[in-house]
Amino acid sequence: MVISPLLLAGVAVALALLSALVSLFSARLPWLLRRVVTPLFTLAGLAALAAGLGTLIQGGVAVTQLPLGLPWLPWGVRLDALSGFFLCLIGVVSFAVGLYSPGYVRSFEKECGSLPALGGFSGLFLTGMLLVVLADDAFLFMVAWELMSLSSYFLVAFHHNQAANRRAAFLYLLMAHIGGLAILLGYGVLASFGDGFAFDAMRQADLSFGWASVAFVLAFVGFGMKAGLVPLHAWLPEAHPAAPSHISALMSGVMLKVAVYGFIRVVFDLIGQFHWQWSVAVLAIGSVSALMGILYALMQNDLKRLLAYSSVENIGIIFIALGLAMLFLSTGHPVVGSVAFVAALYHSINHAVFKSLLFMGAGAVLHTTHERDLEQMGGLLRRMPWTGLFFLVGCISIAALPPFNGFVSEWLTFQAALQAWQLDSGVLRSMVPIVAAVLAITGALAAACFVKVYGVAFLGQARSRHVRRARKVPFSMRLGQGVLALMCLLLGLLPTAFIDLLNAVPQQVLGHGLAQASAHGWLWLTPISAETASYGAPLVAIILVIALMLGLWLLGRGIRRVRRCDAWDCGFAPPTPAMQYTASAFAQPIRRVFGMLFHIDEGSEPQPDGRWRYYLNVRDRAWGLFYLPVAALVERASRQVVRLQSGNIRTYLGWTLATLLVLLWLTA
Amino acid sequence: MMFIEWLLAFVQALLYVALAPLLVGWIRTLKARLQNRRGPSVLQSYRDLYKLFAKEARMAHSASLLFRAAPYIVFVATWLAAAAVPFVTTSLPTAAMADVIVIAGLLALARFFLALAAMDVGTAFGGMGASREMFVSALAEPAMLMAVFTLAMTAHSTNLASMMDYQLFNDPVLRPSYMFALAGLVLVAVAETGRIPIDNPATHLELTMIHEAMILEYSGRHLALMEWAAQLKLLLYGVLLANVFSPTGIATTTDPGALGLALVVVMFKLALLGVALAISETVLAKMRLFRAPAFLNLALLLTLLGLLSHVILEVGV
């Protein structure tokens, strides 16, 4: 008997729930977490991956009703190509996180009381994400969405004994709920025109441009807030680093993609109409996010915060690709539109893989050195060679360098942008090159950013004693990273195979796939046509490897011993670790050139012992420009509302009566 | 047919490796003459490489495996990028394998490892060189992409060979966008190959160096590979300027006569570019590092203007 993908997806959800349930007992029996809970979590990931792959390969749509929900509003689930793709994404990262976490959670076993919370909310978090992707009506979607948000809130607040983490968690909760409200209202608009909360009813809805735009804006704000688009991103660099590292990997790698899924589901599938005005908004916000995200990432010295800001950048890139897709679809160019759409999907899975890998690497460093500050690190490659190697793979991938995976999606996005000459309107045509320039600058800055990270943390010499004593991390942690590093390589080497697989998604959502992508065999990726552009990823990689081997054989003659000597010291004292370039020094030229974009507080002050201390704080301008004014506005508005609160029961009754009358008048 | 094309691509890739030191030697000789010196022979750069390969390579105590692997990666990535730029013929399968975005990516890969290797030993100079190199490239790489995108959009292809074919088989038109792109790409080429006024390849003052600071710790065959890769990059940019903007003379078939002629023509064009570079390096002084952004922003702006003038003025007319 063939197991249907939908059943497998159900198994995945059940396993995730079971892992949450079992972890309740881990307060008494701490070993349960490592031996039972995380294996269940891993299996849930594997089942989700299998369900997703099955859907993408078999094609078709599976729908069923759950015996849950309200009597007149039953919960429906649906597994189609789009859900299948995102199930794969959730599955592969959860699988790797499940492999990784036994080693990582071991350090938490001493503080027994928090173990049930960690395992339980992780399981619920995964359940929530899986259900969001499977939901077929707004009701189940919102319930699953809230489950995902709330359980991740508790995970962000896991280290709640530090005030900064509590603050980050509260900010996250607040933003998640404002976003959730926007999504709910968006569904409200669709439901009122579509007569029902089921997604099928919403698809049938016949919306005017005005109401469609209202729904689009609400969805864009709601999902954009969860995805971390500028200027709604401020919670992200606070919340993601606060969680335990394997949860940071899930949040940055997967939860942001669930928001991308929501955006695609609502805008591309449910609303189903495209207008160039919307694409301009998406392109503008995406470009700003990409550029600001990477610039702020360059300024960070806290490794996990840096990675979180880089997520803002990558989400920006995904939305640039989505914006290009909307632009080309709205102007009647379905082929180019689907190239951009595939680029967005490809970048989603790429970012999920390499960002989780990098967060796991940061977790491994944190695990053995208890250090997140780049300025204290150095020389870790020699202390932890495997983590160093996998982290290098992650850095090359995220810097969009061939032959790894980040390059493929960037290449596809550029290919879509280069078709701008097909557009009829001169204004739109001239907007695309500017977006392409932003994308190019972002890519170059990302390379600079990850040279800084790898060069400062893993190369050079240790800048502090505890980092010098770093040790290898447990095998399970290396295994989890290895799986994702391998995925980075495969996604980079075999783009044709993966694009063939995810071709079902644009076919289902847009009704138009990439017919040409692998028309010239698996060696050649030709998204539009062979004459327009081609990329032979396997060939590039093979030639690189052969030439490298040849070079090593000719010159190195195997691994020949090289005599060691002291580094060049200009004839003065030998170099010490303190004389190395620091992370903030590395970023100084860029900080100076882009200075007006940051809120920089830099200077030096005398210390009591007569020495001078240099300080540098780079803060996000979004706080001053966006959050504080909004907060002040809310405060002022609530002062006005407080006037109603007189403390007199008769006044309250009067208000109630007035409200009732108004409502009666409205419905009559 | 397929076999001959791949063979030709291989020969062409070898030509790049063989001719790269010659271009540098030519520029050095010209500069010496302009400075009223006799200067070394044109072949001196070959002798330097030979000398370095014969010498023993040494490494600092704190260098890791990445430091040893980097010269090979940098050389191979640069060489592969060069192999995809049509040198004497446009019937080139490697140009289909790696289009212009992949070429930029491979150059970025080489730069990534160069900068990492610089930071590996953990001296101040290496970090400084890496920081400055990544800073310069953060502005130069987008400008390079924008410049070639102008041509790519005109030719409706990102394949360099198709771009050249498009220009050869269509009537020559003076396009304003090409002028902007050419001007921008010249500035990028100067910055990316570490020439005056961004960087001085002849300097030995540590504080002003960019490229030289990064390879300060290298010696012997490792240094030779790094130097050779830098020479390859200069030749690559030279060929890009010479062949992409005026592909006249390049062979479009695998006919031996046409190939021979193409080799002579491209050598002549490169010699002219060498003269221009030698003159500009003689009359200009190196800029302060924080003057460089103005230079690079100009390049980015020019190339963006080129692309914009293409999409506004030239498309659909």
Side-chain angles (χ1 to χ4, degrees):
Chain A
M1 193 194 100
V2 184
I3 303 169
S4 78
L6 192 60
L7 187 68
L8 269 174
V11 170
V13 173
L15 284 169
L17 270 178
L18 193 64
S19 90
L21 204 65
V22 172
S23 72
L24 288 181
F25 304 99
S26 60
R28 286 281 176 77
L29 307 164
W31 54 267
L32 270 179
L33 195 64
R34 272 188 296 132
R35 303 265 166 78
V36 182
V37 175
T38 51
L40 282 173
F41 192 90
T42 316
L43 284 178
L46 205 58
L49 179 63
L53 279 178
T55 317
L56 287 179
I57 293 167
Q58 284 178 9
V61 180
V63 188
T64 189
Q65 292 266 339
L66 295 183
L68 294 167
L70 298 174
W72 64 95
L73 214 56
W75 287 354
V77 292
R78 171 185 159 107
L79 186 53
D80 56 11
L82 184 62
S83 313
F85 170 73
F86 279 91
L87 272 184
C88 285
L89 188 154
I90 298 172
V92 72
V93 176
S94 312
F95 174 64
V97 165
L99 290 178
Y100 173 91
S101 48
Y104 193 76
V105 297
R106 196 165 195 164
S107 55
F108 298 129
E109 276 183 16
K110 286 165 215 145
E111 27 184 335
C112 271
S114 52
L115 286 185
L118 183 62
F121 287 118
S122 304
L124 287 178
F125 183 40
L126 181 59
T127 313
M129 292 194 292
L130 290 171
L131 282 178
V132 166
V133 173
L134 290 170
D136 195 25
D137 58 275
F139 186 28
L140 177 58
F141 186 98
M142 286 316 295
V143 170
W145 184 266
E146 288 301 322
L147 182 63
M148 175 179 93
S149 293
L150 285 176
S151 51
S152 54
Y153 159 75
F154 287 106
L155 291 168
V156 170
F158 182 68
H159 296 293
H160 54 81
N161 37 11
Q162 287 166 26
N165 291 347
R166 287 198 299 272
R167 190 173 159 272
F170 177 72
L171 183 67
Y172 171 54
L173 189 68
L174 189 71
M175 297 298 278
H177 278 90
I178 297 172
L181 193 66
I183 298 168
L184 191 64
L185 288 174
Y187 277 132
V189 172
L190 286 174
S192 57
F193 281 91
D195 192 31
F197 284 93
F199 282 169
D200 258 335
M202 292 186 188
R203 275 189 203 99
Q204 311 299 329
D206 187 24
L207 272 76
S208 67
F209 173 65
W211 279 110
S213 296
V214 170
F216 164 75
V217 168
L218 285 168
F220 191 33
V221 169
F223 292 117
M225 190 169 282
K226 196 75 178 173
L229 287 175
V230 174
L232 305 174
H233 67 289
W235 62 271
L236 197 151
E238 306 291 330
H240 286 199
S245 297
H246 62 292
I247 302 298
S248 309
L250 275 182
M251 287 180 75
S252 249
V254 186
M255 190 178 70
L256 301 185
K257 305 306 152 358
V258 174
V260 171
Y261 163 81
F263 182 78
I264 293 176
R265 177 63 83 192
V266 171
V267 174
F268 283 72
D269 189 17
L270 299 186
I271 299 181
Q273 43 177 302
F274 306 101
H275 300 281
W276 63 265
Q277 293 92 332
W278 302 357
S279 66
V280 172
V282 175
L283 280 174
I285 297 282
S287 306
V288 171
S289 301
L291 200 55
M292 294 305 286
I294 193 61
L295 280 172
Y296 275 109
L298 258 165
M299 295 305 124
Q300 305 305 317
N301 289 337
D302 176 334
L303 182 52
K304 287 180 77 179
R305 259 179 92 89
L306 184 149
L307 292 176
Y309 264 116
S310 138
S311 291
V312 174
E313 174 226 342
N314 281 285
I315 287 292
I317 294 176
I318 293 172
F319 273 83
I320 285 178
L322 286 176
L324 284 173
M326 292 166 72
L327 178 62
F328 282 107
L329 289 168
S330 68
T331 49
H333 300 95
V335 180
V336 190
S338 36
V339 172
F341 187 69
V342 166
L345 294 179
Y346 213 99
H347 200 71
S348 299
I349 185 124
N350 284 347
H351 180 247
V353 172
F354 57 60
K355 186 50 62 68
S356 307
L357 171 60
L358 290 172
F359 263 117
M360 286 181 185
V365 173
L366 190 62
H367 179 81
T368 168
T369 65
H370 303 284
E371 188 58 74
R372 276 162 52 175
D373 186 2
L374 283 173
E375 305 285 33
Q376 306 294 325
M377 294 182 192
L380 285 170
L381 178 60
R382 271 188 300 280
R383 305 297 306 175
M384 31 204 312
W386 284 108
T387 304
L389 176 69
F390 297 142
F391 203 86
L392 181 63
V393 170
C395 286
I396 299 176
S397 305
I398 200 169
L401 300 175
F404 284 88
N405 60 353
F407 180 75
V408 177
S409 40
E410 184 148 327
W411 189 83
L412 283 170
T413 316
F414 275 130
Q415 291 301 342
L418 281 174
Q419 297 302 312
W421 55 271
Q422 295 192 9
L423 297 168
D424 293 323
S425 151
V427 180
L428 295 179
R429 216 160 51 205
S430 50
M431 196 181 63
V432 178
I434 295 173
V435 173
V438 169
L439 194 60
I441 297 174
T442 308
L445 286 172
C449 181
F450 284 91
V451 165
K452 165 182 143 167
V453 171
Y454 200 77
V456 172
F458 284 88
L459 304 175
Q461 300 174 48
R463 289 172 175 80
S464 60
R465 200 182 292 160
H466 50 283
V467 170
R468 197 170 303 131
R469 292 205 197 111
R471 282 193 309 195
K472 272 186 201 160
V473 290
F475 176 73
S476 77
M477 290 171 77
R478 278 177 277 156
L479 185 67
Q481 297 178 62
V483 167
L484 289 184
L486 186 70
M487 278 304 295
C488 280
L489 193 61
L490 287 179
L491 279 163
L493 288 185
L494 301 169
T496 41
F498 286 100
I499 286 179
D500 275 348
L501 201 59
L502 65 84
N503 215 352
V505 186
Q507 259 163 10
Q508 177 224 323
V509 178
L510 312 176
H512 201 290
L514 292 184
Q516 287 290 323
S518 55
H520 297 264
W522 63 277
L523 282 176
W524 302 93
L525 176 63
T526 51
I528 296 160
S529 71
E531 291 73 38
T532 308
S534 51
Y535 171 38
L539 289 173
V540 169
I542 290 168
I543 295 179
L544 269 177
V545 170
I546 290 179
L548 270 179
M549 290 293 145
L550 209 64
L552 278 172
W553 178 68
L554 280 177
L555 294 172
R557 287 177 204 103
I559 303 298
R560 197 163 59 175
R561 272 222 167 275
V562 177
R563 262 208 292 160
R564 302 274 182 161
C565 56
D566 288 326
W568 169 240
D569 54 14
C570 299
F572 297 104
T576 65
M579 285 158 72
Q580 298 175 90
Y581 236 47
T582 58
S584 24
F586 189 94
Q588 189 260 354
I590 290 167
R591 187 164 64 236
R592 189 159 155 177
V593 170
F594 294 96
M596 65 286 180
L597 298 174
F598 314 116
H599 195 284
I600 299 179
D601 182 17
E602 186 182 17
S604 49
E605 56 189 12
Q607 295 288 100
D609 60 355
R611 291 194 298 183
W612 284 74
R613 197 180 74 93
Y614 165 81
Y615 62 90
L616 169 71
N617 289 311
V618 183
R619 268 175 299 158
D620 206 324
R621 274 211 187 269
W623 283 108
L625 290 178
F626 184 74
Y627 286 87
L628 295 181
V630 169
L633 201 70
V634 170
E635 203 172 328
R636 219 172 325 141
S638 32
R639 280 235 176 79
Q640 302 298 318
V641 177
V642 162
R643 287 189 191 179
L644 296 178
Q645 197 184 13
S646 59
N648 190 335
I649 189 113
R650 273 167 297 180
T651 326
Y652 291 167
L653 285 173
W655 280 116
T656 315
L657 184 69
T659 312
L660 208 63
L661 285 176
V662 169
L663 283 177
L664 280 173
W665 174 69
L666 274 178
T667 50
Chain B
M1 193 61 201
M2 206 50 196
F3 175 72
I4 292 178
E5 281 187 353
W6 278 100
L7 189 72
L8 208 62
F10 184 65
V11 171
Q12 184 169 287
L14 289 183
L15 262 181
Y16 266 104
V17 178
L19 290 180
L22 188 65
L23 180 64
V24 173
W26 167 245
I27 294 168
R28 273 192 205 146
T29 311
L30 281 176
K31 270 177 80 176
R33 291 291 151 82
L34 284 168
Q35 292 162 353
N36 285 330
R37 290 189 285 122
R38 270 179 64 199
S41 142
V42 182
L43 301 177
Q44 183 60 39
S45 31
Y46 290 100
R47 294 186 197 128
D48 287 345
L49 285 180
Y50 177 75
K51 180 186 74 185
L52 285 174
F53 274 117
K55 282 195 168 205
E56 185 199 0
R58 302 193 66 174
M59 288 196 319
H61 292 297
S62 49
S64 70
L65 204 61
L66 190 138
F67 186 81
R68 286 182 74 172
Y72 299 95
I73 298 175
V74 170
F75 182 82
V76 166
T78 314
W79 173 72
L80 189 56
V85 181
F87 190 51
V88 289
T89 173
T90 60
S91 71
L92 190 66
T94 43
M97 181 183 81
D99 71 350
V100 72
I101 306 173
V102 183
I103 292 172
L106 286 167
L107 289 177
L109 180 71
R111 188 189 306 119
F112 192 82
F113 274 95
L114 180 62
L116 283 184
M119 299 191 75
D120 189 35
V121 176
T123 59
F125 295 128
M128 188 177 71
S131 162
R132 292 177 176 177
E133 170 81 9
M134 295 319 286
F135 163 63
V136 168
S137 72
L139 298 168
E141 196 193 289
M144 184 252 183
L145 279 175
M146 290 298 111
V148 287
F149 281 176
T150 308
L151 289 93
M153 234 190 241
T154 316
H156 297 176
S157 171
T158 53
N159 184 329
L160 272 177
S162 314
M163 284 186 214
M164 292 178 193
D165 279 339
Y166 176 85
Q167 291 188 58
L168 286 172
F169 295 122
N170 283 286
D171 292 331
V173 189
L174 187 66
R175 295 171 183 273
S177 62
Y178 274 31
M179 297 297 111
F180 282 121
L182 178 63
L185 194 60
V186 168
L187 298 185
V188 171
V190 168
E192 282 273 47
T193 54
R195 311 299 301 193
I196 292 174
I198 297 294
D199 188 11
N200 185 354
T203 186
H204 283 281
L205 180 65
E206 288 96 337
L207 286 176
T208 63
M209 301 188 299
I210 300 180
H211 183 261
E212 296 295 311
M214 287 194 290
I215 58 174
L216 199 62
E217 289 298 326
Y218 276 110
S219 58
R221 55 180 190 275
H222 297 148
L223 181 61
L225 281 174
M226 286 293 199
E227 296 276 10
W228 209 345
Q231 294 169 355
L232 259 175
K233 197 170 172 186
L234 183 68
L235 182 62
L236 186 157
Y237 270 97
V239 175
L240 206 59
L241 285 171
N243 275 351
V244 174
F245 284 92
S246 71
T248 322
I250 197 165
T252 51
T253 55
T254 51
D255 172 50
L259 289 178
L261 181 71
L263 187 61
V264 174
V265 172
V266 77
M267 297 273 273
F268 177 69
K269 284 193 269 191
L270 285 171
L272 280 185
L273 276 177
V275 173
L277 186 63
I279 294 176
S280 86
E281 291 210 323
T282 311
V283 298
L284 290 175
K286 186 184 170 299
M287 281 192 289
R288 276 173 52 215
L289 182 69
F290 285 103
R291 288 287 167 83
F295 179 90
L296 295 164
N297 284 342
L298 177 67
L300 186 58
L301 207 64
L302 279 173
T303 52
L304 193 59
L305 274 178
L307 199 50
L308 286 176
S309 60
H310 172 74
V311 294
I312 294 170
L313 299 175
E314 294 165 16
V315 175
V317 177

